[in-house]
Amino acid sequence: MEQNYWEAEDKKYIWHPAMQMKDNEVFPPVVIDHAKGSYLYGTDGKEYLDIISSWWCNLLGHCNEEINEALKKQVDELEHVIFTNFSHKPAVKLAQELEKVLPEGLSRFTFHDNGSSCVEAALKMAFQYHYQTGHPERTRFMCLPESYHGETIGALSVGSMDFYAKIFHPMLMDNIHFDGLNCYRCPYGKTRNHCGVECFESAEKAFKQYGEETAAVIMEPILQGAAGMRIYPAEYLKKLRKLCDEYGVLMIDDEIAAGFGRTGKLFAIEHAGISPDILCTSKGLTAGYMPMSLTITTDKVYDAFYDDYGTHKAFVHSHTYAGNPMGCAIALTVLKIMKRDHILEKVNENGIYLHDKLMKALGNHRHVGEIRHIGLINAIELVENKETKKAFDPKKRIGWHIFRRAMDMGLVLRPMGDIIYFNPPLNIEKTDLDKAVELCRKAVVTVLGE
């Protein structure tokens, strides 16, 4: 009775993100009453294993008791204060702790309230940096193929997925989009771990043609999330860093999805052993508790904005909830837990365990083209023909139907097209991974057969 009431009221008022609302007629949103660890509990008492970390942000389990206590303590001391001309201890402490573990050279922190916002700040920062250092001609941005950086207009402009951006093209900035970088369907006939990064020739051509008018290149390091958990070689990033240095182009590292341990490193760019000029982080930063993000840069970039008031060189970019003390207190607790409990070591150990389980369960299925993985992330690409890698007709909505069946069984397996994936909390137990693999296998078999 209670569940039906809340479902009806939700349908009456709520416009949910990233879904066709008419789907509610056959597959209404589940109203969650409470959560704990890796599990969500509906108003009808049904249990759901959250194997996608509630859009990849729930880093250390729902209602983590230690994070809860840190938040309760902070809310009694300071809930918020305007962050221009004011500061507070949690923000300073967070910058201190992050500076120790960030890629080399990143030491200046600007605070925002979501991933798209910190990407917008990074783009504006890069543009203004060049303007104030004698290069006003640098007005464009380069980005990787099938990239995704958020939903605001600037962020959409540096994304390369028409699924999100096509209708808005008349509103978007004119940026440069590379080709290639599809390791599963490599046009050069190579494999992800055995190639010379031949697809990098597109980036080289773009720099040769547009390098002198480009402010920055933005990329998702190693892992392209919304593209279907695409994983690409670290060598690509090394080559990109070298090109940026050669042409005087800034490198923006979007770690919103891949950062905070998701790939087995605290920041995914560490796999390439390089440092960006600007780094964006959110999601895992506050373990899914509160909206907060950071755009972090170097002293070199910061110094281009440091001058007398009358020069008007300040970075006049702000958000009401920038530097929120509660978000900072949570982020500090996240860092403490990850270090104390050796979370990254567990991610890499359990990552091997999970991939082995998934390969045994689904690796030989006739419609599983590839199960790619890094850290605890595993992406299962479903195809109509395994030999030719031919995709299913999108109208069949194979991934969506598997999602529905998995939800019936108590597993949150929200797909990206026909790619279903695991991106669980980093501290998930092996028993829950076993359960998730078996439920996933059953959902796939129910829709696609043995």
Side-chain angles (χ1 to χ4, degrees), residues 36-52:
K36 185 67 179 175
S38 298
Y39 288 89
L40 306 167
Y41 298 89
T43 50
D44 61 350
K46 185 172 178 177
E47 179 182 87
Y48 298 89
L49 178 49
D50 186 5
I51 208 64
I52 65 165

Side-chain angles (χ1 to χ4, degrees), residues 8-29:
E9 292 299 289
D10 177 275
K11 186 176 180 180
K12 184 177 176 182
Y13 295 109
I14 308 298
W15 191 349
H16 289 272
M19 66 176 289
Q20 171 51 253
M21 293 301 291
K22 192 174 181 181
D23 281 345
N24 284 3
E25 295 174 9
V26 294
F27 189 26

Side-chain angles (χ1 to χ4, degrees), residues 145-187:
E146 297 302 304
S147 57
Y148 175 84
H149 298 287
E151 299 288 357
T152 48
I153 294 302
L156 276 179
S157 295
V158 291
S160 298
M161 298 185 69
D162 274 351
F163 178 79
Y164 299 98
K166 186 175 182 179
I167 192 174
F168 301 108
H169 278 187
M171 301 172 64
L172 304 184
M173 298 184 293
D174 180 25
N175 292 318
I176 301 115
H177 300 255
F178 302 160
D179 296 323
L181 206 62
N182 185 344
C183 295
Y184 176 53
R185 294 182 175 87
C186 177

Side-chain angles (χ1 to χ4, degrees), residues 241-313:
R241 176 72 271 182
K242 188 176 180 181
L243 267 186
C244 286
D245 292 339
E246 182 180 338
Y247 282 86
V249 171
L250 296 182
M251 175 183 273
I252 301 172
D253 175 15
D254 179 353
E255 296 268 357
I256 293 163
F260 275 82
R262 288 297 181 188
T263 68
K265 301 279 190 183
L266 190 60
F267 296 101
I269 201 169
E270 294 176 43
H271 289 281
I274 61 171
S275 292
D277 301 291
I278 301 173
L279 183 146
C280 300
T281 185
S282 188
K283 287 190 184 289
L285 172 68
T286 53
Y289 268 68
M290 294 187 69
M292 191 172 85
S293 61
L294 296 170
T295 303
I296 310 164
T297 191
T298 62
D299 282 340
K300 179 182 177 181
V301 172
Y302 172 83
D303 288 345
F305 295 77
Y306 192 84
D307 209 336
D308 294 328
Y309 175 82
T311 63
H312 302 294
K313 288 185 177 181

